[in-house]
Amino acid sequence: MADAETARGRSIRKTKKQDGGNPSLETAEIERHLCRAIKHHQAGKLGPAGALYRQILRRNPRHADALHLRGVIAYQSGSCAIAADWIGEAIAIKPHFPKACNNLGNALMAQGHWDEAVAAYRKAIALKPDYALAHGNLGGVLGKMGRLDEAVVACRQAIVLEPGHPDAYVNLGTALVERGQIDEAIAAYRQALAYKPDYAEAHSSLILAQHFHPGCDARAIASEQRRWSRRHADPLMRCNRPHPNSREPERRLRVGYVSPDFRDHAVGWQILPLLREHDRRQFHITAYASVAQPDAVTERLRACTHCWRDISAMSDEEAARQVRRDRIDILVDLALHTAGNRLLLFARKPAPIQVTFAGYPGATGLRAIDYRLTDPYLEPPELSPRDDSYFERPMHLSHSFWTYESAANDDVPINTLPALASGSVTFGCLGNFCKVNEQVLRLWSRVLRSVPGSRLLLLTPEGEARQRALAALRRHRVAASRVEFVGRQPRLDYLRTYHRIDVALDTLPYNGHVTSLDALWMGVPVVTLTGKRGVSRAGWSHLSNLGLENLACRSEEHFVQAALGLVKNLPRLSGLRTTLRERMRSSPLMDAPRFACDVEAAYRRMWQSSKWR
């Protein structure tokens, strides 16, 4: 969070004459310019504020306050590298400047320079130990770095210093989610909303956290989504205008995709085959990228589009106007309530038909979104809600919600079954630890107790999360000596970790999604427990598309027996390991042309059947 305030009323040194002989601004005139600029800045009028800061700097290029606040404007406008340069120059002139240090940290964090951002926040705190904003921001960047225990401490210190600090509660909630403490995370998000009810991002984080909670059923989540929509989105619908798009049913359609994840991210890789295989004769493709740090995957995605719009520095209103100018027919949300979503862009209804897809199988709760893509396994007719739980209507793809891209993974071959060499079976889960809860650990413990000598390899953040996992496993009679943890890894190293796993155990209520596909690609079968929500049925969808429905279980007893059945016959398990990759290649999960046709057929059905104004 940027701190755009400056110390008003303090004495400002009288400036010297500048080179060229121009007279300096007098102290009183500098004060007037600065006060006017700050008023504009705090009112959100960045243009007039920036013009006044520039006036001061033309007369005195070493004016630290003007340099700092001009840098803040650059940061707020999305020019983070320029912001860091200007704020850094201000700090060089005036080293004891905690607000500038905090804002330098923000500019560095936005560029992904996390170590440097930590140093900037720590300097701000050293200069001003009771600086709650800097403590909260420090917690945010430490959380991104996976230093979760430190992040929790920093956020809680911010809250002690300023109990009404909503951003600190959000950063705390995010770190707690990553540590698997979903109850505590939900409480933190609710506290943020108590102090700032219009905090849409915090409310989205709350909804996403509910998906990980075993006690939150579909109806409870839908109710929270409707609250989100009533609070943040519905008021914007009053400004919706008719769309002039031609209604001709068979014409070429203009499709827009909106995502913060057009990068090296699970959604980026999932959407790449679809963009690459779209029928260019029937569909014109525009990407609206809300990506602060583009990478090589961003460039690959860009090459698959007709038009690429960088909306990372645009407001939702500006982005919605751009979508309207582009005359998009079908606008597709790829984030739902995940971080960085642009749902308030969709709330403005800039396209006649709007769809949600890919972030996770589920709904947004927005009246302005017409459809959600799903598949026959995630949402069979008997599980479709028969009330108004969701505003989005399900549009079923024929086979799978997912298509798997192997381009980033081909360099890692499948190895021989590790149990053949070690003599003991290793179960594992390399999904996000936020999906691991007491119910899951209890179920996994039953599997481990059923297979003497077996071990568990688990991706878990260092520190408190590992201690809590070990304590839970001990409660269920699994010794710590049978458990091994790994942390975050570069992608190829992560894939090689599957070389050490014989059988993957899935999580509930939020199944593994892309991580389960990764396991299957690496020859590791996944045993899953099928639930009633979309996120709880991903394993059923994956395995059904591979002809391995027997590993998708309906009860805990079935789950234990399925895992036991795999490891009782190691030669058969070894044979499955060697054939799983080819099974993946020949399945709908990797048939990108068929997947694209399936999605395009869904778009055409939406276009031809929907009524819009």
Side-chain angles (χ1 to χ4, degrees):
M1 178 179 174
D3 190 340
E5 297 176 350
T6 188
R8 287 185 165 189
R10 65 172 172 238
S11 62
I12 300 177
R13 292 192 306 273
K14 189 171 182 178
T15 56
K16 297 179 181 179
K17 290 187 176 183
Q18 307 299 303
D19 292 340
N22 292 329
S24 68
L25 289 170
E26 296 295 332
T27 300
E29 188 174 355
I30 290 175
E31 181 71 10
R32 285 195 298 273
H33 275 70
L34 193 58
C35 287
R36 285 175 56 209
I38 291 167
K39 286 180 179 178
H40 286 311
H41 199 161
Q42 293 176 335
K45 300 175 181 178
L46 302 188
L52 288 166
Y53 295 143
R54 289 193 295 274
Q55 283 185 38
I56 295 170
L57 291 168
R58 276 196 294 270
R59 308 299 290 270
N60 178 10
R62 289 179 55 79
H63 195 289
D65 286 320
L67 278 167
H68 165 228
L69 293 171
R70 191 179 181 191
V72 171
I73 286 180
Y75 166 75
Q76 292 170 326
S77 303
S79 300
C80 296
I82 294 171
D85 287 342
W86 279 333
I87 298 171
E89 190 176 341
I91 294 169
I93 295 166
K94 185 170 146 183
H96 299 287
F97 200 167
K99 288 180 180 178
C101 293
N102 175 70
N103 287 330
L104 176 61
N106 293 337
L108 292 167
M109 184 168 71
Q111 297 174 77
H113 303 323
W114 292 342
D115 287 322
E116 296 170 65
V118 167
Y121 292 136
R122 290 202 189 281
K123 182 176 179 182
I125 291 166
L127 293 169
K128 187 180 179 185
D130 63 348
Y131 196 174
L133 187 58
H135 283 283
N137 287 339
L138 175 62
V141 71
L142 289 170
K144 289 179 180 293
M145 298 170 76
R147 294 162 60 178
L148 302 179
D149 293 356
E150 294 176 78
V152 168
V153 169
C155 292
R156 286 181 170 152
Q157 180 62 23
I159 291 165
V160 168
L161 293 168
E162 186 181 326
H165 185 0
D167 289 318
Y169 281 107
V170 169
N171 289 338
L172 174 62
T174 301
L176 291 169
V177 164
E178 293 296 314
R179 291 205 314 192
Q181 294 170 264
I182 306 303
D183 281 310
E184 295 93 328
I186 288 174
Y189 294 137
R190 290 201 186 281
Q191 197 64 54
L193 291 168
Y195 287 114
K196 187 178 178 182
D198 62 347
Y199 201 162
E201 296 89 346
H203 206 166
S204 280
S205 296
L206 167 63
I207 289 168
L208 183 61
Q210 288 181 321
H211 283 77
F212 302 122
H213 197 295
C216 291
D217 61 14
R219 190 174 295 276
I221 293 171
S223 178
E224 195 65 56
Q225 289 169 340
R226 287 196 297 273
R227 278 192 287 273
W228 192 99
S229 187
R230 286 194 298 270
R231 163 65 70 172
H232 312 291
D234 290 358
L236 300 171
M237 295 181 68
R238 292 192 294 267
C239 303
N240 292 348
R241 307 191 313 276
H243 298 91
N245 307 49
S246 165
R247 295 173 185 259
E248 202 281 308
E250 299 295 339
R251 69 173 175 85
R252 189 188 192 205
L253 296 177
R254 302 180 70 87
V255 177
Y257 291 97
V258 182
S259 180
D261 300 319
F262 287 137
R263 54 190 173 89
D264 188 3
H265 181 276
V267 170
W269 284 109
Q270 181 182 348
I271 206 70
L272 177 60
L274 174 61
L275 296 186
R276 186 177 61 230
E277 299 296 335
H278 262 312
D279 184 344
R280 298 301 195 266
R281 297 164 301 175
Q282 293 296 318
F283 297 89
H284 179 281
I285 305 302
T286 300
Y288 297 92
S290 189
V291 180
Q293 298 167 42
D295 56 25
V297 179
T298 307
E299 293 309 309
R300 292 184 63 176
L301 290 159
R302 183 199 298 264
C304 297
T305 66
H306 294 98
C307 181
W308 185 272
R309 302 285 192 198
D310 180 0
I311 64 169
S312 58
M314 290 186 190
S315 68
D316 292 316
E317 177 60 36
E318 291 168 332
R321 286 199 295 268
Q322 183 63 64
V323 171
R324 276 189 173 270
R325 284 195 295 269
D326 292 337
R327 305 291 280 270
I328 296 298
D329 299 307
I330 300 176
L331 190 66
V332 186
D333 160 55
L334 299 177
L336 292 88
H337 285 282
T338 60
N341 73 71
R342 301 301 295 266
L343 290 178
L344 294 182
L345 184 168
F346 285 82
R348 292 166 164 84
K349 194 69 172 179
I353 295 176
Q354 301 193 146
V355 187
T356 191
F357 169 57
Y360 52 86
T364 65
L366 269 70
R367 295 177 186 275
I369 295 185
D370 306 286
Y371 295 96
R372 62 183 185 275
L373 291 182
T374 185
D375 73 28
Y377 310 100
L378 296 172
E379 193 173 336
E382 65 269 19
L383 289 183
S384 294
R386 288 171 169 76
D387 53 24
D388 62 349
S389 295
Y390 302 117
F391 295 116
E392 307 101 314
R393 285 164 284 174
M395 182 65 72
H396 288 80
L397 303 177
S398 299
H399 300 283
S400 174
F401 180 86
W402 290 270
T403 182
Y404 188 69
E405 175 67 33
S406 68
N409 313 328
D410 282 331
D411 292 337
V412 185
I414 291 175
N415 68 329
T416 57
L417 188 73
L420 292 177
S422 67
S424 63
V425 170
T426 300
F427 297 102
C429 179
L430 301 184
N432 193 314
F433 188 72
C434 65
K435 302 175 184 179
V436 177
N437 52 59
E438 182 80 19
Q439 174 188 353
V440 166
L441 292 170
R442 177 175 53 78
L443 178 58
W444 291 353
S445 296
R446 289 186 61 188
V447 173
L448 289 165
R449 292 198 307 270
S450 299
V451 183
S454 60
R455 297 175 55 79
L456 177 65
L457 180 60
L458 188 57
L459 190 150
T460 311
E462 294 184 1
E464 173 71 15
R466 295 185 180 184
Q467 297 308 310
R468 290 176 53 255
L470 287 175
L473 289 166
R474 280 195 297 268
R475 285 195 296 274
H476 300 298
R477 306 194 306 281
V478 173
S481 60
R482 299 177 66 182
V483 183
E484 182 181 353
F485 298 111
V486 294
R488 289 183 182 179
Q489 300 168 300
R491 178 158 183 81
L492 294 185
D493 291 337
Y494 148 77
L495 289 171
R496 292 186 189 100
T497 304
Y498 284 109
H499 286 167
R500 303 169 57 195
I501 299 174
D502 298 292
V503 173
L505 302 178
D506 206 354
T507 49
L508 192 79
Y510 201 120
N511 291 169
H513 293 178
V514 175
T515 50
S516 290
L517 293 172
D518 289 335
L520 294 162
W521 173 256
M522 294 304 300
V524 180
V526 180
V527 181
T528 189
L529 184 59
T530 304
K532 293 184 178 180
R533 293 193 264 135
V535 295
S536 306
R537 301 174 64 82
W540 169 240
S541 179
H542 298 157
L543 295 167
S544 295
N545 276 287
L546 290 171
L548 294 172
E549 298 92 333
N550 59 311
L551 299 181
C553 307
R554 303 292 173 168
S555 69
E556 292 192 0
E557 184 62 34
H558 184 193
F559 184 98
V560 174
Q561 292 305 314
L564 189 58
L566 284 171
V567 302
K568 274 185 172 179
N569 189 333
L570 293 184
R572 186 174 64 188
L573 180 59
S574 178
L576 179 59
R577 189 180 189 91
T578 60
T579 59
L580 258 179
R581 183 168 291 188
E582 188 52 43
R583 193 188 288 243
M584 283 275 287
R585 285 196 178 106
S586 61
S587 77
L589 295 172
M590 292 187 68
D591 191 341
R594 179 161 62 172
F595 181 80
C597 286
D598 209 8
V599 171
E600 290 169 351
Y603 291 162
R604 187 64 67 179
R605 291 196 300 274
M606 296 173 195
W607 183 253
Q608 293 176 347
S609 64
S610 294
K611 295 180 173 63
W612 47 271
R613 65 184 186 92

